[in-house]
Amino acid sequence: MRVIIPTDLSIDSEKAICNLVPLLKDRDVKATLFHCVEPPMSGGSIMINVSDVLVENAANKLDKIKKALLNLSEGTIEVAHHVSFGQFQRQLDNFVSSSDPDLVIMPSDRKSFIERILIGQRSLSFIGELSAPTLITPFNKKQPVEVSIGLAIDQREGMDEKVKKQINH
């Protein structure tokens, strides 16, 4: 199973990714850690290319998370990483479209209503627009080996007949 796991490289995100190991371990998973470096909001010119430094730092942090995942999974999860530069939503959508994964797993923190309005919540803002099935997981919860998944659908969108038959069985 090919899985993309976006991360903002925060300590909470790293912990959430490591909490996914019981869910992914021993399931023939090829995981790709994804991070997007957004362009700095600066109008001035700088002697060095800041974006190159930010991308390199992100790649180093992803490599650290990759090593932690390999260690925790005892090598049973194949892990790669990818760093993009640009606007997060667009870059993730492009990467998902070009990679054609079986699943995108997005750790999500619990923000208050005001924080969601003022700051936003990336994992939920464009979830229906990705071209792959997406699983949102809480930051601070260890994932069990066996998982029950609830399915929420929009009745107005219509549903493929094959999917309807699988749900009804």
Side-chain angles (χ1 to χ4, degrees):
M1 177 169 57
R2 291 166 294 128
V3 176
I4 294 175
I5 307 170
T7 175
D8 63 4
L9 301 178
S10 67
I11 292 170
D12 284 341
S13 182
E14 184 177 342
K15 288 178 186 175
I17 291 168
C18 289
N19 285 342
L20 292 172
V21 169
L23 177 65
L24 303 177
K25 189 176 175 180
D26 302 323
R27 295 183 195 267
D28 192 30
V29 170
K30 294 176 180 155
T32 302
L33 302 170
F34 173 88
H35 178 72
C36 182
V37 175
E38 295 195 20
M41 300 293 202
S42 171
S45 62
I46 300 176
M47 296 293 281
I48 61 168
N49 190 347
V50 174
S51 61
D52 289 343
V53 172
L54 293 173
V55 167
E56 183 179 335
N57 286 342
N60 290 336
K61 288 180 181 178
L62 283 174
D63 197 45
K64 178 185 167 206
I65 298 170
K66 173 184 172 178
K67 288 176 183 171
L69 270 178
L70 287 170
N71 184 43
L72 288 169
S73 72
E74 300 167 341
T76 62
I77 301 172
E78 187 178 317
V79 185
H81 60 71
H82 178 83
V83 179
S84 289
F85 184 79
Q87 195 264 341
F88 176 80
Q89 179 176 342
R90 184 176 302 127
Q91 294 301 317
L92 179 59
D93 188 42
N94 289 341
F95 187 65
V96 167
S97 294
S98 66
S99 302
D100 193 29
D102 298 305
L103 184 65
V104 176
I105 301 176
M106 296 186 76
S108 176
D109 60 348
R110 292 180 183 228
K111 293 182 179 177
S112 71
F113 178 71
I114 297 298
E115 287 175 309
R116 285 192 303 257
I117 291 172
L118 297 176
I119 301 169
Q121 186 158 348
R122 280 197 178 140
S123 59
L124 300 178
S125 63
F126 61 95
I127 209 66
E129 298 172 21
L130 290 177
S131 60
T134 305
L135 176 66
I136 306 292
T137 63
F139 258 108
N140 297 320
K141 184 175 182 193
K142 290 201 181 230
Q143 300 304 314
V145 175
E146 295 298 323
V147 178
S148 296
I149 298 176
L151 178 64
I153 59 169
D154 186 342
Q155 293 286 338
R156 295 170 293 176
E157 294 280 331
M159 186 188 309
D160 184 90
E161 289 300 317
K162 184 178 175 183
V163 174
K164 284 182 186 177
K165 287 179 184 177
Q166 289 176 346
I167 292 172
N168 291 328
H169 284 54

